[in-house]
């Protein structure tokens, strides 16, 4: 049994062949004409699917389904992309159109972050967990939530917006315009702002000197903390508390077996995962008698989206 | 088809006969010997079940299942009550024991707040919604979460602890010992503290005068706000924001069709529900394009637990 996973991005589309154990054994990418008519975009994607089948030597008759991960507002149940910021999908019945274009009956779609969560949970860092939360710490904060092996998406797939939970009354302004949201404290963007503020406050610190020479990115504070700079250590400690506060909220609501950290910040590996594990273990409700929740870094990285998209079709076998 | 619902409390046990449409047409309560051996407690409950069957004229052969709602830490999957603060259950295999005591095969158990959420969602204020969150504003803050018609309980049923999400970094101390939790801002207990603080700060206010004469309870601020007292209006407005912040977090994660307000505070009816509805509608993520989320007061009140317990068995028909 084979599945096709498609991961649509603003710049390119990735397509791969995945088996029932989540192994991705062939993948290929193609550019996307993001501003073209939706039908033209999908025709290109159908061509990519055909190429992938041919080049991987996969018989179309062996394909049990095609799963699609797409950024933006996706309504899983109707198979529609309501809109996507960077791609010209507007109420596009993507499932129906891809069925027609490929001749495959079992086509499914979900938000790209949801697909990544499903892939990581079933076949990556989640190691087959039934309940998990993937928290992506990048430009923003994205979340994908798996409950009893299925994606939690809420009414008309509008939920799982974990970047927009309120963690600090009247606090920092979020990209969405509201105050105190998790994303405004825990994203890589927020971390860089926190580092900037620390540098301005402590211009003599090792952190400020390093930042002056090298600029600030998501790694800056980790490098300087490792070098023993006190300002960096304090800034990182506060960031851990910010990220941890959201993780504890997810933990107390969903009580997953595993929380998976993805996005650029997860590249810090143990330097971010270990302190977050300690924070969660200390702060979950009923820590003394409840099961432990593992905090781990994502492992599938860029392939999580393809594998998770393919997995959208598997659950119905 | 008939179902038995049992709602165990610290002082008494309620038992009722419920039909497949969630109609409760007979109920009876009995005292509980909370400190007796668990087997003795359950024998008493089995006697209550027998009484209810006899007095309601229900044939045992017509009973499709017995559902039990129990306070404390309940592990639904194994049918075990790990412990209960006020009742002498310690790793009590309540499902197995009740099967043996009653001769009924289909026995299920869940936390009492979960049962109430299931009852309100399917047969009460939720009006058959597939996704809902019941938020009980009482001594503490309890939550019961229904996703796709099923209770969300998390790994080993340790989740759905919505009173213990962090809404204010480093803020007020919660009953659980941690800071900034929702319960420390949104419970009836928290509201009374907020009223007390407002009275101390504005001793000449109508609120302070009323409180001096009548004492403070969950209704005080609502009464004085209705009378036009500015301190009461400001205190209530802030409380709405506190409660609303948690509701928006639940909304953005679960995106339910309906959020149901229960507990003592819900007795304020429109005075609490309408401003919360406005707060949620204004503050949910993507308010302009996402479906609306209804905020309503619980309607089944004290019967929600019995009806929801019975409903635990229905989902398996």
């Amino acid at each position: 049994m084979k599945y096709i996973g498609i991961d649509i991005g603003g710049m390119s589309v990735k397509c791969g062949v995945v088996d029932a154990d989540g192994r991705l054994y062939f993948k290929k990418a193609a550019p996307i004409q993001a501003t073209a008519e939706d039908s033209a975009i999908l025709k290109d994607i159908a061509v990519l699917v055909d190429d992938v089948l041919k080049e991987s030597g996969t018989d179309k008759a062996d394909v049990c389904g095609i799963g699609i991960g797409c950024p933006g507002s996706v309504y899983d149940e109707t198979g529609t992309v309501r809109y996507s910021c960077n791609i010209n999908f507007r109420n596009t019945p993507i499932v129906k159109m891809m069925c027609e274009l490929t001749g495959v009956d079992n086509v499914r779609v979900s938000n790209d972050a949801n697909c990544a969560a499903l892939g990581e949970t079933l076949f990556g860092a989640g190691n087959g967990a039934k309940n998990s939360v993937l928290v992506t710490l990048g430009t923003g904060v994205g979340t994908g939530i798996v409950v009893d092996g299925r994606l939690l998406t809420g009414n008309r797939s509008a939920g799982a917006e974990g970047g927009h939970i309120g963690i600090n009354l009247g606090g920092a302004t979020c990209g969405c315009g509201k105050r105190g949201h998790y994303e405004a404290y825990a994203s890589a963007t927020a971390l860089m702002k926190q580092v900037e503020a620390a540098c301005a406050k402590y211009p003599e610190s090792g952190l400020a000197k390093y930042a002056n020479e090298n600029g600030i990115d998501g790694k800056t504070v980790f490098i300087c903390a490792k070098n023993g700079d006190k300002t960096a250590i304090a800034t990182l400690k506060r960031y851990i508390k910010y990220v941890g506060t959201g993780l504890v909220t997810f933990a107390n609501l969903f009580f997953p077996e595993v929380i998976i950290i993805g996005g650029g910040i997860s590249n810090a590996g143990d330097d971010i995962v270990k302190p977050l594990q300690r924070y969660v273990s200390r702060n979950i409700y009923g820590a003394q008698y409840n099961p432990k929740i593992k905090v781990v870094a994502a492992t599938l990285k860029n392939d999580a989206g393809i594998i998770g998209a393919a997995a959208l079709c598997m659950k119905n076998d």
Side-chain angles (χ1 to χ4, degrees), chain A residues 60-223:
Chain A
K60 207 182 217 175
D62 288 342
V63 172
C64 301
I66 298 179
I68 307 166
C70 183
S73 174
V74 180
Y75 191 174
D76 303 23
E77 214 172 303
T78 59
T80 310
V81 181
R82 277 183 292 217
Y83 73 87
S84 188
C85 283
N86 306 312
I87 305 161
N88 191 25
F89 292 144
R90 297 291 178 275
N91 294 312
T92 300
I94 194 169
V95 163
K96 187 169 164 279
M97 291 169 82
M98 285 299 287
C99 282
E100 286 166 7
L101 285 164
T102 61
V104 173
D105 282 344
N106 184 22
V107 177
R108 299 194 162 259
V109 68
S110 194
N111 174 276
D112 55 348
N114 286 343
C115 289
L118 194 60
E120 283 287 357
T121 302
L122 298 177
F123 302 116
N127 203 14
K130 284 177 71 180
N131 305 283
S132 80
V133 180
L134 170 67
V135 182
T136 306
L137 307 174
T139 311
V141 173
T143 53
I145 301 158
V146 177
V147 173
D148 273 340
R150 304 188 314 164
L151 281 170
L152 181 147
T153 58
N155 185 23
R156 299 200 214 163
S157 317
E161 289 291 354
H164 303 279
I165 62 171
I167 67 157
N168 198 21
L169 285 168
T173 302
C174 182
C176 77
K178 306 293 178 194
R179 282 182 170 279
H181 281 185
Y182 189 39
E183 181 165 297
Y185 290 86
S187 66
T189 317
L191 173 59
M192 290 189 280
K193 276 187 199 164
Q194 290 155 27
V195 170
E196 211 178 297
C199 291
K201 198 169 174 187
Y202 302 103
E204 295 304 315
S205 64
L207 183 66
K209 285 172 190 162
Y210 182 93
N212 275 339
E213 280 168 34
N214 303 282
I216 295 171
D217 65 17
K219 295 177 202 155
T220 308
V221 75
F222 292 99
I223 293 168

